[in-house]
Amino acid sequence: METKYLNADLLIIGGGSAGCMAAIRALELNPELKIIFFEKGDIKYSGSIARGMDALNIVAIPNFTTPELYIESVSMSCEGVLDLAPSYRLAARSFELLKKLQHWGVHFPVDANGNFRTLKYHIKGEFQTAMEEPDLKVIISRKAQEQGAVALNRIMGLELLLDDGRISGAVGLNVRSGELVVCGAKAVILTAGGQARFSLPNSGYLYGTFDYPGNSGDGYVMGFQAGAKLTCMEFTKSMMLIKDANMPLLAITVTRGGRVMDMLDNIIMENECANLSRMDDAYDKGLGPLRIQLRHLKPEVIDEIEGILFSTERPVQERFFRGRGIDFRKRDIELWRTEAQICGGHGMGGLYVNERAETGVPGLYAAGDAASVPKQHLSGAFVFGEVAAEEAVAFIKSNPTVKINDGQVQAVEERRNQLFTDVDRDIDVRELEYKVRRLISDYVISPKNELKLNSWLEWSGRFREELRNHIVVRNGHDLSKLYEVAHIVQCADFSARASLERKESRWGTAHRRTDYPDRDDKKWLCHILTEKGDAPEDIRTGTEPVKGLDGKKGGA
Ligand SMILES: Cc1cc2nc3c(=O)[nH]c(=O)nc-3n(C[C@H](O)[C@H](O)[C@H](O)COP(=O)(O)OP(=O)(O)OC[C@H]3O[C@@H](n4cnc5c(N)ncnc54)[C@H](O)[C@@H]3O)c2cc1C
């Protein structure tokens, strides 16, 4: 197979929320820039938005809330383990972002007085701002391409290229043919999302995950291999969502008056979702299945909820509920615990970045769920897509030349050639993925302990050998899945190592160690950083103080 060579000023890996916004912002600043996307799916509907979305979860609306209140709130929900400057920047730019989206035609409902509709989703303040936009992904992906960015669909970013320690592009894989594409670039923005395919959903479906299943931690692995650090990989978060469908609805139903109830009809949440851990507590006490009740609401409120649920984020919900015979006016919605994921958007884990979206590798930026700006959601993906673009444009200007490392490309080609065969191979990649994720469920997520985490690390060695020598690869599709499973294994290694390092329990079910059941602020009010040692499989962990707004040691 022939490897294709391309050149760009800026390469964006992942054409989701953050990636599209990065391209738009970079071209606003310099319309002459040549921008290429590697996009694993099709940019029109790929990523967490998929179609549309019902809220920007963080907007600091002037004269109503403030960035200061937001960092107070997010610090509480992250239990102090975060650097404040990135979260502050997110909130400070959030209203400007809303106005920009509004200008593009994105619909934000307002009341009779012209006030935005806000809902209570955080511990403090009403930052969640309703948005009713079923075509959000189409709007932003079209805009990026109309301004001149070129999307290479079905190209999966595999490895970042380095030129004397600085980023010089990346190698991508055509997920249909298995051909490689080398894109030389003066800067790269990693926006490949989080790790959606971590533990196994209890439905047993590999792709029946809450987050977009095309996000398989590729960005974490690419960044790590290039020398970037990861933080909070021990934060393995599951949610309480619609049983068997794992689709979101809490922020839409409960904030509008819905009730989360346990099996004894105790009300666990009503009108607000500020403290989701209450659901975990009830569930862990055996008081599940939990359910959402809506039948007490006025008919027009139920109509509004249905209008949003069935049109914006996952319109397939309408068919799902009809298929199960569930009418919200008569029957409750059963909730169940989803798979655990690692994500810098809903969770806290991802590439360690500062408020300029820098990863520490010159020319490499990360934004959205690939980066750890804890609980930044869509607002963070958009704001930091823009921030990464601004920084990358400045970097490109002052670092114009770049060289491709042929040896690195050759090594990727050789590895691809070794893997692309079905001769003497005996394991279907989907079967291996099932087993890998079943064991992640057993050993890597809470309740965690040293014995389990070390058991995973033993198993992962075996899985790597099977990935190298046993997987049947008949086409580019099998091959891309093989790389994805390798990334899932690698992310589980990151997580196990970081979890072993954090010898305490924190964040409810996201990191509960039975051998260290208590929270210990004295020792662990810090980041656990994960970084590459001498070999790709050599994962090192260390700690780093959390930083206050001034960039100095924080952690109050
Ligand atoms: C179901 C759901 C509902 C949500 N609801 C809300 C909400 O109401 N409000 C809110 O504020 N936030 C919400 N969020 C969070 C928000 O959508 C995400 O935080 C945000 O969209 C993440 O953007 P991203 O660009 O980082 O990732 P994504 O938008 O997921 O984009 C990642 C892109 O990278 C591509 N990709 C992955 N790997 C590779 C690779 N190796 N090479 C090339 N491309 C690759 C993927 O195909 C995808 O297009 C929700 C998330 C989910 C999953």
Side-chain angles (χ1 to χ4, degrees):
M1 279 184 286
E2 214 174 293
T3 298
K4 263 198 201 120
Y5 281 79
L6 304 163
N7 269 308
D9 296 306
L10 175 62
L11 173 66
I12 299 176
I13 302 184
S17 323
C20 289
M21 217 57 173
I24 297 167
R25 182 70 186 131
L27 289 163
E28 277 170 10
L29 294 170
N30 181 355
E32 303 303 316
L33 279 184
K34 187 166 178 204
I35 299 185
I36 289 182
F37 281 106
F38 280 176
E39 168 47 55
K40 198 196 258 185
D42 185 317
I43 196 166
K44 188 173 179 188
Y45 288 133
S46 63
S48 308
I49 299 182
R51 278 201 71 101
M53 212 145 260
D54 64 276
L56 275 183
N57 281 357
I58 303 145
V59 185
I61 299 175
N63 302 321
F64 181 62
T65 47
T66 61
E68 285 75 14
L69 185 67
Y70 173 68
I71 54 172
E72 217 183 294
S73 178
V74 73
S75 299
M76 287 168 79
S77 84
C78 296
E79 300 185 10
V81 183
L82 80 169
D83 295 343
L84 295 185
S87 295
Y88 186 88
R89 192 158 198 201
L90 153 59
R93 287 180 62 145
S94 57
F95 189 65
E96 193 189 319
L97 167 81
L98 178 152
K99 298 302 277 181
K100 187 171 192 171
L101 293 171
Q102 210 179 22
H103 181 67
W104 294 347
V106 174
H107 179 58
F108 291 91
V110 289
D111 65 17
N113 300 319
N115 295 321
F116 291 104
R117 171 104 203 253
T118 56
L119 302 145
K120 182 127 180 74
Y121 183 67
H122 295 84
I123 297 175
K124 293 195 163 191
E126 280 189 25
F127 293 96
Q128 187 180 58
T129 304
M131 170 174 70
E132 287 170 19
E133 189 46 76
D135 288 321
L136 185 63
K137 186 69 205 297
V138 176
I139 293 174
I140 60 170
S141 61
R142 189 182 288 154
K143 205 159 183 63
Q145 292 173 94
E146 278 172 2
Q147 291 191 359
V150 175
L152 303 182
N153 288 325
R154 318 271 173 215
I155 302 294
M156 169 184 181
L158 268 194
E159 187 161 318
L160 295 167
L161 294 171
L162 290 166
D163 171 15
D164 204 15
R166 172 205 155 166
I167 280 296
S168 60
V171 184
L173 174 85
N174 183 317
V175 301
R176 293 205 164 138
S177 67
E179 282 163 328
L180 297 180
V181 182
V182 175
C183 182
K186 295 165 194 162
V188 173
I189 303 181
L190 271 178
T191 46
Q195 175 52 279
R197 296 209 323 259
F198 201 53
S199 66
L200 202 61
N202 65 24
S203 64
Y205 299 129
L206 292 177
Y207 309 115
T209 52
F210 158 73
D211 201 351
Y212 174 66
N215 294 342
S216 48
D218 309 347
Y220 299 154
V221 175
M222 278 186 273
F224 168 86
Q225 299 292 12
K229 295 173 182 162
L230 296 151
T231 182
C232 285
M233 296 305 276
E234 69 279 23
F235 189 100
T236 48
K237 181 73 186 151
S238 57
M239 276 165 269
M240 206 65 75
L241 295 178
I242 306 167
K243 184 174 192 320
D244 293 342
N246 288 2
M247 288 184 271
L249 81 168
L250 291 168
I252 299 162
T253 51
V254 182
T255 52
R256 287 173 174 81
R259 289 178 185 146
V260 176
M261 331 240 319
D262 67 14
M263 55 149 321
L264 300 174
D265 286 348
N266 296 312
I267 298 175
I268 295 173
M269 289 196 309
E270 189 173 12
N271 296 318
E272 47 82 24
C273 322
N275 189 356
L276 299 175
S277 62
R278 275 179 282 170
M279 293 201 293
D280 286 320
D281 293 344
Y283 187 84
D284 288 339
K285 280 187 196 139
L287 295 174
L290 306 183
R291 41 194 225 286
I292 295 185
Q293 192 170 86
L294 300 178
R295 68 179 99 135
H296 59 283
L297 297 176
K298 288 187 184 148
E300 58 270 26
V301 179
I302 299 182
D303 290 347
E304 182 196 345
I305 288 172
E306 283 182 339
I308 299 167
L309 280 182
F310 299 165
S311 68
T312 55
E313 281 184 12
R314 301 291 182 266
V316 71
Q317 284 200 30
E318 184 169 12
R319 257 191 297 151
F320 174 82
F321 285 119
R322 199 184 318 125
R324 302 242 160 163
I326 294 173
D327 176 346
F328 299 159
R329 289 154 197 83
K330 297 183 193 133
R331 287 186 59 189
D332 300 342
I333 303 163
E334 188 174 338
L335 303 177
W336 213 260
R337 194 170 266 163
T338 67
E339 72 289 343
Q341 56 165 328
I342 303 178
C343 175
H346 274 92
M348 296 176 61
L351 289 158
Y352 187 45
V353 291
N354 59 17
E355 68 278 20
R356 291 186 295 282
E358 292 167 325
T359 60
V361 177
L364 180 64
Y365 304 87
D369 292 359
S372 170
V373 177
K375 310 198 177 177
Q376 60 181 317
H377 294 98
L378 184 60
S379 311
F382 282 164
V383 165
F384 280 99
E386 290 202 327
V387 169
E390 289 159 14
E391 297 295 330
V393 169
F395 182 87
I396 290 166
K397 206 167 167 197
S398 49
N399 295 273
T401 53
V402 82
K403 215 169 61 250
I404 286 181
N405 179 338
D406 294 328
Q408 219 189 329
V409 175
Q410 255 171 30
V412 181
E413 279 173 335
E414 276 163 24
R415 178 156 188 247
R416 186 272 318 264
N417 295 344
Q418 281 161 12
L419 297 173
F420 202 156
T421 179
D422 60 355
V423 179
D424 294 331
R425 304 280 158 126
D426 49 4
I427 304 178
D428 184 284
V429 68
R430 294 150 198 85
E431 281 173 22
L432 188 70
E433 178 171 346
Y434 191 92
K435 179 152 186 184
V436 163
R437 292 175 59 196
R438 192 170 59 70
L439 289 198
I440 290 175
S441 305
D442 289 346
Y443 292 140
V444 188
I445 64 171
S446 300
K448 308 175 188 182
N449 60 46
E450 192 173 322
L451 187 63
K452 287 166 97 181
L453 295 164
N454 280 326
S455 295
W456 163 261
L457 292 170
E458 255 182 67
W459 271 97
S460 80
R462 191 186 289 195
F463 288 140
R464 285 175 201 278
E465 195 279 320
E466 288 178 342
L467 283 160
R468 267 193 308 272
N469 299 315
H470 290 272
I471 301 297
V472 179
V473 175
R474 295 197 183 88
N475 49 45
H477 196 59
D478 288 346
L479 184 64
S480 65
K481 290 205 176 300
L482 189 162
Y483 282 113
E484 287 184 335
V485 179
H487 294 166
I488 296 169
V489 170
Q490 179 90 350
C491 285
D493 283 3
F494 297 149
S495 188
R497 295 267 177 215
S499 295
L500 281 166
E501 179 81 15
R502 186 174 285 286
K503 294 185 176 64
E504 63 155 358
S505 291
R506 193 178 283 267
W507 311 305
T509 54
H511 179 71
R512 183 153 65 83
R513 281 197 58 166
T514 48
D515 45 358
Y516 295 97
D518 300 321
R519 178 171 146 177
D520 179 354
D521 277 355
K522 227 171 171 180
K523 285 201 196 119
W524 300 108
L525 201 52
C526 60
H527 292 278
I528 305 290
L529 295 185
T530 309
E531 65 182 308
K532 193 172 134 191
D534 298 328
E537 280 142 43
D538 179 8
I539 298 169
R540 300 202 176 152
T541 51
T543 59
E544 174 78 14
V546 292
K547 298 189 185 79
L549 259 188
D550 55 3
K552 294 194 185 126
K553 187 173 182 296

